[in-house]
Amino acid sequence: IRGVCGDEEDEVFPFVATMMGMNLSGEHAQRVKGIKGEALEKLILKNVRQLLIRSTQLIPVVIVMEDLHWADTTSLELLESLFHLARTHRVVFINVYRPGYWHGDNRRVETLPNWLPEVYFTAIHLKPLDKQMTEALVNNMLRVKGLQRSIRKQIVNRAGGNPFFTEEIVRSLIDVKAIVRVNGAFEVTEEIDQVEIPATIQDVIMARVDSLPEAAKEVLQTASAIDREFSCELIKRVSGMREQELICRMSILKDSELLYERGIYPQVTYVFKHALTQEVAYNSLLL
């Protein structure tokens, strides 16, 4: 912010930091003291806009919004204001979201085209993978010889062109040792004859969760009750585990690619690979 805003740093920083949940001190804390509710929202919006405007004066800016279908109304109101900057400033927003996710909400993400004239907005609808592309995805993941045609056909038919579903099916085959890595390459084992491809993505994920060692499964379920993203310190406190024990279990979950790791220890956060993974793990908890 200092590099971009210069003399406006002391005005912009406290409100951007407040939006990000940072703890302020000194003059910065004094600047936001006593400001609440709608007044705080307006100042956050004003200063985020100013930061973006000043950034675009230095260099063209591209902002990628992942999983926008999870956005709450307040976030959408902020974005709606920022999107209008595309008319007059060197900024492009790439918004990635699942269509039809919200039902009965009058601020659906699908209303994005109404916020900006067509000249400033382009919608790109991603279609499901066709059978050839799905097979290519499987081949690129495994590069395995000996995978029966019938198994490939099952994967393609069950996945229905959904790349995440395809990936999870393939990883489930690895989990049950139907496919193993030998000398850096994948090979099919006799377990492949016993494989049944689950009918839904939730069933595939649940099968993967059930195949985990019980201790690692317990950590995954505990994490699912926190959030899609959580810190190492938080899961340690909630689970009550010793540090080394927890690291060992988290390592299993990372290797299975059910979770991803961000940051450097001890400031590590973990993220569920997909919201569905968190949802399935959470729903497997007893009431």
Side-chain angles (χ1 to χ4, degrees), residues 38-87:
E38 189 176 340
L40 181 59
E41 284 187 15
K42 286 182 177 179
L43 284 168
I44 288 174
L45 172 57
K46 172 191 171 185
N47 285 285
V48 170
R49 279 175 58 88
Q50 186 61 14
L51 174 60
L52 188 53
I53 289 169
R54 293 290 290 266
S55 298
T56 62
Q57 291 169 352
L58 297 175
I59 192 171
V61 177
V62 178
I63 296 179
V64 181
M65 305 295 297
E66 289 275 11
D67 292 333
L68 193 58
H69 47 269
W70 293 114
D72 56 67
T73 299
T74 304
S75 299
L76 286 176
E77 288 172 352
L78 169 67
L79 291 172
E80 182 176 356
S81 174
L82 297 181
F83 289 157
H84 287 283
L85 295 177
R87 301 179 185 213

Side-chain angles (χ1 to χ4, degrees), residues 156-175:
V156 170
N157 290 341
R158 291 287 168 85
N162 184 319
F164 176 61
F165 197 170
T166 305
E167 286 185 7
E168 290 302 290
I169 291 174
V170 171
R171 300 209 182 282
S172 72
L173 297 178
I174 296 172
D175 289 344

Side-chain angles (χ1 to χ4, degrees), residues 52 56 72 75-76 97 123 151 175 177 195 213 223 238 243 262:
L52 188 53
T56 62
D72 56 67
S75 299
L76 286 176
Y97 60 90
I151 297 294
D175 289 344
K177 303 293 190 294
V195 164
V238 172
E243 189 168 322
R262 291 179 180 165

Side-chain angles (χ1 to χ4, degrees), residues 214-230:
E214 196 60 36
K217 178 180 176 181
E218 182 183 337
V219 173
L220 189 74
Q221 291 174 315
T222 301
S224 73
I226 299 174
D227 204 346
R228 186 176 174 189
E229 184 170 349
F230 53 92

Side-chain angles (χ1 to χ4, degrees), residues 96-151:
V96 184
Y97 60 90
R98 246 185 273 165
Y101 188 75
W102 290 332
H103 300 285
D105 189 333
N106 60 6
R107 291 193 65 83
R108 293 164 67 100
V109 181
E110 283 87 335
T111 63
L112 278 176
N114 301 332
W115 301 358
L116 288 171
E118 191 174 326
V119 66
Y120 298 110
F121 180 89
T122 301
I124 301 173
H125 300 283
L126 299 185
K127 298 179 180 178
L129 303 180
D130 60 26
K131 291 186 176 182
Q132 186 176 0
M133 289 177 176
T134 303
E135 285 207 19
L137 177 58
V138 174
N139 292 337
N140 288 341
M141 287 184 70
L142 293 175
R143 301 193 181 281
V144 63
K145 295 180 179 179
L147 186 60
Q148 294 96 318
R149 182 67 193 168
S150 60
I151 297 294

